[in-house]
Amino acid sequence: MTDQIAIVSNIEEKSLIKKNEKRKEKTLDVFMGIDIGSVSLKIVLLDKNNSIIEKLWLRNQGSPIESSKKGIRELKEKLESSGMFNKINIKGVGTTGSARYLIKSVIGGDIAKTEIIAHAVASLTYYPDVKTILEIGGQDSKIIILRNGVVADFAMNSVCAAGTGSFLDHQASRLGIPIEKFGEYALRADSDISIAGRCGVFAESDMIHKAQMGYSKEEIVKGLCDALVRNYLNNVGKGKEIKPPIVFQGGVSYNEGLVKAFEEALGAEILVPEENILMGAIGAAILVREESERTEKISENWKTKFRGFNVLNLEFETKAFRCQGCPNRCEVVSVYMKTGEEDENGKEKKEIVARWGDRCGKWAVY
Amino acid sequence: MNQTEKHRLKIGIPRALYFYKYGPFWTAFLEFLNCDVKISGPTTSVIVEEGTKDANSELCIPIKIYFGHVKNLLSEFPDLDYIFIPRYVSSHKEQFFCPKFLILPEAVKYGLKFDTPIITLEINVKKNSEHESAINFGKILGYNQETMIKAWDYANQKFEEFQDKAYEGDYIELLDELDTNPKHKRKKKKLKQFIPEAIRGKFMVNILVLGHSYNVYETHINRDLIGRLEAMDCNVTTIEKLPKSEFSEKITINEQYHQYWQSEDEILKTARYYLRDGKNTIDGVIFLISFACGPDSLIQEIVMRDMKKRKISYLDLVLDEHSGESGLITRIESFTDMIRRKKYN
């Protein structure tokens, strides 16, 4: 009798283990990459083989904190509708882009890496032998030179945003052309006209002048694309050895007119990845996976700092003040998280998640 | 005004430009002459703002800051007898300092309006020996030749001692020690640690930071570059860490052209040393340049090409009063990450 019970419990135990194993099999470890730039927010979920589980893009309106929460909410909805929500386990979160540190603090990221490294790493996974990456985003442009699968050199545009996405956006709306059609217009042009591309202000007055001389919109758009490429290669690409394979990524790579202008200027094929705008986010996800693997190797202990989808229920508040401690009068920004709990005096509890902007570091919380 | 036993001359030194190089010499020189030396405090946003207000807008940022420091000295110590503004023309027979150093006393005198007299030590070995420079300086204060030669030699000895100490120690801290004013004491900054604790110190990167001392050690304008690099697990080396013997040989860029600017010569020599003997001790070079610096823009290109040939990673950072912190951090973070991935993967 006792033996039988033992056997039964043994079987039960075994099946329980099997169930657990099955559940384990079903939950997929994924890594989240968030690229928060000046214009848009990109999120991807990658599994450990770098396959995309989920992705999204949205325009970054107003504050990066609100945008990232909106992004996480959309991501959750997408996962729920595809039935993946309960099947994944977010094992790490990597952020990149100009607001990477802010978003890392807010949603609980594990690493924040620069766009250069993120874009390079992403490109290398799709094109292992890539030698040059051209990247033009909303407000900055960069060139990354790779040799033998490592970043060998890079450059970014310095102060001026002429020739980036925002500038094109502005010119498209001025010409009354939807930005999505910009490339088509350029491809339809019959002849070459030259437009000054060194500075956005000069380019604009040149465009107006050419229009008044009777050139068509198509020709002006093509002239603008050529000017941008010239400007990019002379400034950002100055002194760099641009060797194929060349990959063009970032939002502006949607513009076929620019792709063609680059091909003409460089005399080489330009590769545009399918996920051209997501490359930064993909890179961030890969980087956090690498970081988790490295940490596990050294200390066998990796735990993500991701606050979970619970982050949607949290309220964040930013407050700025001018420190009066010394003549530098630094502007210090604090980011508080409201947990909804109350302290002994019945006041709402606020937890500080980030504070920066001071030069001396006396206020800093990272 | 003469130095007497009753009246100890109070002389102010702006903490800018070559203070970051010759500061130890000047203070020792003036202290030997029994002067009460006052140094302006570390650069603040107010000093930068005040400087840019009055300096010609075409000037480079270090000169603008110099103007700010002079104003700061005058307001902090209204009873100064003199403001010490040296004129560096040449300290090697074949070389010159940047023309802005040649005209510095006049630029300040006519750019800013103030009554405190300026006292100038002129270093021009094309015209005078160094001891003659000291003797000329002594005439203003009423010292005889003998004393001035002694003062020069004493200062020189102190300067060399300082350089030896700097070779080992923290250059910025040592410079700060020259100023005993408790109001100017700087607290050690708390900088963000970029490297996760688990792997901190395990993947170090060696960086050579090139540039004029007044850019490399001016932590306000370069946003604490050295400290930040260290917080990114970098071993940082600078021109001051190079053996002095390296600076004695003449440098040739090509057969026709020998290096003409003194400061640039040091930068080039350092770069060449690391291309040769020190080749395996650095992983990357960062060149700090002030916006609108003519000499720098010339040799920046040479250094870049040299480094490219030897496949040493190179980054130039251009400083001006509008430099934002995020742009700088993105660049140095990408640069060190790039090197680290290359070195350890």
Side-chain angles (χ1 to χ4, degrees), chain A residues 218-239:
Chain A
E218 282 83 356
E219 284 160 333
I220 290 170
V221 169
K222 181 172 192 305
L224 189 63
C225 289
D226 291 341
L228 284 193
V229 167
R230 216 167 42 235
N231 183 36
Y232 176 91
L233 294 176
N234 290 340
N235 288 308
V236 183
K238 191 187 119 208

Side-chain angles (χ1 to χ4, degrees), chain A residues 98 100-101 110-117 121 150-154 156-159 238-241 287 290-291 294-295 298-299 326-329 356-366, chain B residues 43-46 187-194 196 198-199 202-203 219-221 223-224 228 300-301 304 308 313-315 320 325-327 329-335 337-339 341-342 345:
Chain A
S98 38
R100 59 186 180 280
Y101 287 116
D110 299 299
I111 57 163
K113 289 282 174 181
T114 67
E115 303 93 293
I116 300 283
I117 300 296
V121 165
V150 287
V151 180
D153 198 3
F154 67 87
M156 299 168 78
N157 63 331
S158 37
V159 275
K238 191 187 119 208
K240 304 276 180 269
E241 210 181 349
L287 283 163
E290 283 183 3
E291 187 80 27
R294 195 177 309 135
T295 311
I298 291 177
S299 63
C326 83
N328 282 332
R329 301 278 181 270
W356 44 48
D358 52 336
R359 282 170 173 271
C360 68
K362 78 168 175 183
W363 296 104
V365 175
Y366 295 106
Chain B
T43 308
T44 61
S45 308
V46 175
K187 274 186 217 145
K188 192 89 185 147
K189 286 183 189 177
K190 194 181 117 197
L191 286 171
K192 175 177 180 174
Q193 291 297 323
F194 283 84
I199 56 164
K202 293 201 169 84
F203 302 99
T219 52
H220 184 88
I221 211 75
R223 305 276 173 158
D224 232 325
R228 281 187 204 277
Q300 174 261 332
E301 189 79 21
M304 185 181 84
K308 208 175 201 174
S313 303
Y314 170 87
L315 174 77
D320 72 1
E325 191 170 302
S326 64
I329 290 176
T330 301
R331 280 171 178 81
I332 59 174
E333 229 188 295
S334 305
F335 188 67
D337 264 3
M338 163 181 104
I339 294 171
R341 291 181 72 86
K342 212 167 10 178
N345 271 11

Side-chain angles (χ1 to χ4, degrees), chain A residues 303-337:
Chain A
K303 199 173 171 296
T304 181
K305 296 192 183 86
F306 183 46
R307 298 187 205 280
F309 286 94
N310 184 34
V311 74
L312 295 172
N313 304 323
L314 301 171
E315 281 293 319
F316 293 92
E317 189 181 86
T318 57
K319 260 188 190 157
F321 70 95
R322 211 172 256 280
C323 172
Q324 304 292 329
C326 83
N328 282 332
R329 301 278 181 270
C330 298
E331 272 173 47
V332 182
V333 184
S334 322
V335 183
Y336 294 95
M337 181 171 77

Side-chain angles (χ1 to χ4, degrees), chain A residues 234-235 237-240, chain B residues 210 253 259 264 267-268 271-272 275 287 289 293-309 314-316 318:
Chain A
N234 290 340
N235 288 308
K238 191 187 119 208
K240 304 276 180 269
Chain B
L210 287 177
I253 292 166
Q259 188 46 37
E264 266 51 38
I267 294 171
L268 266 184
R272 298 252 159 127
L275 290 172
F287 193 168
I289 300 166
C293 177
D296 269 1
S297 69
L298 282 172
I299 61 153
Q300 174 261 332
E301 189 79 21
I302 297 170
V303 174
M304 185 181 84
R305 288 183 194 183
D306 283 354
M307 294 301 162
K308 208 175 201 174
K309 265 186 217 150
Y314 170 87
L315 174 77
D316 50 53
V318 182

Side-chain angles (χ1 to χ4, degrees), chain A residues 77-361:
Chain A
E77 284 161 10
K78 276 187 152 186
L79 287 169
E80 278 168 347
S81 65
S82 67
M84 287 296 285
F85 188 68
N86 293 320
K87 293 182 192 157
I88 56 159
N89 164 39
I90 294 176
K91 213 185 156 193
V93 177
T95 60
T96 186
S98 38
R100 59 186 180 280
Y101 287 116
L102 177 62
I103 298 314
K104 179 177 175 254
S105 305
V106 166
I107 71 152
D110 299 299
I111 57 163
K113 289 282 174 181
T114 67
E115 303 93 293
I116 300 283
I117 300 296
H119 276 280
V121 165
S123 208
L124 280 167
T125 50
Y126 292 94
Y127 308 97
D129 53 351
V130 56
K131 287 207 169 72
T132 309
I133 301 170
L134 316 170
E135 201 270 341
I136 307 184
Q139 268 186 1
D140 60 6
S141 51
K142 24 191 164 321
I143 187 164
I144 308 170
I145 305 292
L146 302 104
R147 295 293 180 262
N148 306 319
V150 287
V151 180
D153 198 3
F154 67 87
M156 299 168 78
N157 63 331
S158 37
V159 275
C160 171
T164 58
S166 305
F167 173 71
L168 282 181
D169 240 357
H170 174 65
Q171 295 310 333
S173 71
R174 217 181 50 82
L175 290 166
I177 303 171
I179 187 73
E180 301 80 24
K181 296 265 163 68
F182 214 71
E184 275 176 42
Y185 268 72
L187 294 180
R188 279 208 305 266
D190 303 321
S191 65
D192 280 344
I193 59 161
S194 135
I195 282 176
R198 173 130 323 204
C199 165
V201 179
F202 293 157
E204 185 161 333
S205 53
D206 231 15
M207 283 163 61
I208 294 170
H209 174 66
K210 290 278 151 67
Q212 285 164 344
M213 282 171 73
Y215 287 101
S216 69
K217 271 187 190 175
E218 282 83 356
E219 284 160 333
I220 290 170
V221 169
K222 181 172 192 305
L224 189 63
C225 289
D226 291 341
L228 284 193
V229 167
R230 216 167 42 235
N231 183 36
Y232 176 91
L233 294 176
N234 290 340
N235 288 308
V236 183
K238 191 187 119 208
K240 304 276 180 269
E241 210 181 349
I242 301 176
K243 280 190 183 170
I246 305 167
V247 175
F248 183 18
Q249 50 201 41
V252 175
S253 64
Y254 271 124
N255 185 328
E256 293 155 356
L258 271 176
V259 175
K260 194 167 168 241
F262 266 121
E263 284 185 335
E264 280 170 7
L266 295 170
E269 191 196 355
I270 303 288
L271 306 162
V272 179
E274 195 182 334
E275 305 295 352
N276 53 355
I277 52 163
L278 294 177
M279 295 301 263
I282 291 173
I286 295 172
L287 283 163
V288 72
R289 175 177 57 76
E290 283 183 3
E291 187 80 27
S292 74
E293 288 167 358
R294 195 177 309 135
T295 311
E296 277 173 345
K297 218 189 270 173
I298 291 177
S299 63
E300 293 175 8
N301 188 14
W302 169 268
K303 199 173 171 296
T304 181
K305 296 192 183 86
F306 183 46
R307 298 187 205 280
F309 286 94
N310 184 34
V311 74
L312 295 172
N313 304 323
L314 301 171
E315 281 293 319
F316 293 92
E317 189 181 86
T318 57
K319 260 188 190 157
F321 70 95
R322 211 172 256 280
C323 172
Q324 304 292 329
C326 83
N328 282 332
R329 301 278 181 270
C330 298
E331 272 173 47
V332 182
V333 184
S334 322
V335 183
Y336 294 95
M337 181 171 77
K338 290 189 215 163
T339 48
E341 289 166 38
E342 287 179 352
D343 66 6
E344 305 125 27
N345 306 325
K347 263 192 176 174
E348 196 175 30
K349 255 194 197 171
K350 278 186 199 169
E351 192 187 318
I352 186 148
V353 292
R355 184 161 59 201
W356 44 48
D358 52 336
R359 282 170 173 271
C360 68

Side-chain angles (χ1 to χ4, degrees), chain B residues 245-251 265 269 276:
Chain B
S245 57
E246 289 302 318
F247 295 108
S248 54
E249 265 175 61
K250 195 158 129 183
I251 201 158
D265 186 62
K269 278 175 178 156
R276 241 181 22 245

